[in-house]
Structure formats: structure tokens, C-alpha cells
Amino acid sequence: MTVPGALLGLALGVGLLLVWRSGPRAPQRRSAPRDDGRRRRLLAAAGLTGINPAQLTALQVVLGLVVAVLVLVTTATVTISLVFGAFGAATPYLLVRRLAHKRRADLREVWPEVVDNLASAVRAGLSLPESLAALAVRGPEVLREPFARFAADHRATGRFADSLDRLKDELADPVGDRIVETLRVAREVGGSDLGRVLRTLATFLREDARARAELETRQGWIVQAARLAVAAPWVVLLLLATQKQTLAAYDSPVGTAILLGGGGVCFLAYRLMLHIGRLPEDVRVLQ
């Protein structure tokens, strides 16, 4: 083999080695587990941005162990203590879901006012960053802090799009997503109909909030009655657990099977009740 042929073969081999070692051309993004992402979105919707999913899981584990130990010390029955330990572990997650639902309901009531303020500011000739920053002073009390952080962030960076992204992540609300994306489009492509679009959106939001409030009022007593019906057997079980005959019965294999079966039936019935009585919720499609 001649010297040019050897050099050509060496260059070809080095090139193939580099191509093989380079790996896939597309950057690989490390995605979070699905459950972790769901919990993170739930915490953001509840306004608990200072807590991460790992801390919520740790709180569930600790509370479940504490409740299980307390019931075990009180009743000296492993089966009953494990059942109520599971209830204790589920309590923080259920509280976070309740906080998220309450925060979304509170925001649903004040979004029309936010949109009206934005429309008035745009009609008065203020720029979009100034209109959003003004909500930190004139906006609803529950939303003043996020808009104040938006104003500080925009003053520090001067990047309107990045500040909007951070505001949208902090609000974690479907209506907030729509408002933010409307303002983003208006900023990028312009348009003289922004004020009319915002006023139409405010009217729609008021009608939606009025209809949903009426439906939730009619539905509320049914949901509370169903929750009471699910909780009542377990309260009775905790009261009966003070008797030795009851403890001996539920500490047997048959008693364990009864507790597991009753817990499964209660869980399925409660989930079915929530599914039947569930109202349609806005989905964050513009995340």
C-alpha cells in the first residue's frame, strides 16, 4: 500500500471513529418522571412554589409513619394502624389538591378585573410591560405579588418574553396562560384590536364564573354528603378499636381482608362520585 493510500485509510478510519463516538445528533433532554411533573404542576397550581415534589413525598411518608405509630400505640393492632397510616400519608396530597382547587376558584373570580385593568391601561396608551407592572398596585390583592415580581424581573433583564414565561409559570392557571399568550402575540405582531379582545375576554370570563359558581353551589351539598358517607365507617372503626374484642377480630386474616375490601370499596365509590359530579375544568394547553 502506498503512503497516500495509507493516509487515506487512516483518515477514513478516524472519521468513522469520530462519527461513531459522536452519538445521536439531536440533544437528549432529561425528562422528569411523569408523576414528579404532575406533582410539580399541582404544587404550582396551589401556589406552593417553595415546596418541591420530593418534599411533599417526604411529608407524606413522615405523617403516615407518625399516624401509624400513634394508632399502633393506642390500639396495639398492626392492621388498623396501617390503614390509618395510609390515610395520614394521603392527607398532605389531598390538602394540596384542595388548595389548588380553592386557588383556581379564587383566581376565576378576579381574572375579569385583571383583564379590565389591562384593557384600560392599553386604552390609556401604556405599553404592555407598564400595563402588567401596574397590576402590582391596582390589581387584585391575590395577584399583586406575581405581577410585582414580573415588574422587577422585567426592569432587571429588559426581556419581555422571558419575563412573561416566568410570570406564566408562577401563575400556573389556564386563564393566565391565555392572557399571557394574547399579550405576547400583541407585542410581537402588533394589532389595534387588543383592547376589544381583552374586553370580550373579560365578558366571557364573568359569564363562565357566574355559571360555574351556580353549579358548584348546587353540587356542594351532594359532595359533602358523599364525603361524610365515606368517612363515617372509618370513624366508627376508630371508636370500636378501643375494645379488645374488636381489636382481636380485625387483627385476624379475615378481619384484614374485610378492612382491605372495605377500603377498596370506599375508594372506588369516592372516585366514582367525583367522576360523576366533576365539572369540566380548563386545561393548560398553552404551557
Side-chain angles (χ1 to χ4, degrees):
M1 180 180 292
T2 62
V3 174
L7 292 177
L8 182 60
L10 179 61
L12 179 62
V14 172
L16 292 175
L17 178 63
L18 292 176
V19 170
W20 176 70
R21 292 294 303 272
S22 64
R25 294 180 180 273
Q28 299 295 318
R29 298 180 60 184
R30 180 176 298 178
S31 59
R34 182 175 299 180
D35 185 66
D36 183 78
R38 186 184 302 114
R39 285 172 171 251
R40 191 176 301 277
R41 289 191 295 270
L42 181 64
L43 289 169
L48 303 175
T49 55
I51 301 178
N52 57 44
Q55 292 173 330
L56 176 60
T57 303
L59 178 61
Q60 289 184 257
V61 172
V62 171
L63 186 59
L65 289 175
V66 170
V67 173
V69 170
L70 289 177
V71 177
L72 181 61
V73 170
T74 305
T75 64
T77 306
V78 177
T79 306
I80 296 179
S81 63
L82 290 177
V83 170
F84 284 95
F87 291 160
T91 299
Y93 183 78
L94 296 177
L95 288 178
V96 172
R97 287 189 58 180
R98 185 174 181 84
L99 284 175
H101 180 74
K102 183 179 183 301
R103 180 174 180 267
R104 183 164 293 183
D106 293 340
L107 292 181
R108 192 182 298 119
E109 296 294 330
V110 301
W111 278 126
E113 181 182 350
V114 171
V115 177
D116 286 340
N117 286 333
L118 285 174
S120 299
V122 170
R123 189 167 56 248
L126 295 179
S127 65
L128 291 180
E130 292 172 341
S131 302
L132 288 171
L135 292 173
V137 179
R138 298 184 304 169
E141 189 70 28
V142 68
L143 288 174
R144 288 186 179 181
E145 290 186 8
F147 286 106
R149 282 189 283 270
F150 164 82
D153 182 67
H154 186 263
R155 285 195 301 267
T157 63
R159 293 191 288 269
F160 183 67
D162 294 340
S163 300
L164 276 183
D165 289 335
R166 283 185 280 271
L167 175 64
K168 184 166 66 172
D169 292 338
E170 186 172 0
L171 293 174
D173 187 81
V175 179
D177 292 346
R178 277 180 264 167
I179 295 174
V180 166
E181 294 304 325
T182 301
L183 297 178
R184 190 195 307 274
V185 172
R187 173 80 169 188
E188 293 178 354
V189 304
S192 58
D193 294 335
L194 178 60
R196 186 175 63 183
V197 171
L198 291 176
R199 288 191 295 273
T200 303
L201 178 60
T203 303
F204 169 76
L205 292 176
R206 282 193 174 89
E207 294 176 354
D208 180 72
R210 189 181 305 112
R212 184 174 292 272
E214 183 179 354
L215 291 174
E216 288 180 347
T217 301
R218 296 181 179 182
Q219 183 195 39
W221 69 272
I222 301 176
V223 175
Q224 295 300 330
R227 290 174 178 171
L228 180 61
V230 170
W234 302 101
V235 176
V236 174
L237 174 63
L238 188 61
L239 295 176
L240 292 177
T242 57
Q243 301 179 6
K244 293 183 178 181
Q245 296 83 356
T246 305
L247 296 178
Y250 282 110
D251 216 10
S252 63
V254 177
T256 302
I258 292 174
L259 287 178
L260 292 177
V265 170
C266 288
F267 177 78
L268 291 177
Y270 185 70
R271 295 296 299 179
L272 182 61
M273 180 272 299
L274 291 181
H275 180 74
I276 294 175
R278 182 179 57 187
L279 295 176
E281 292 285 347
D282 289 335
V283 181
R284 296 188 64 195
V285 298
L286 298 174
Q287 297 187 56

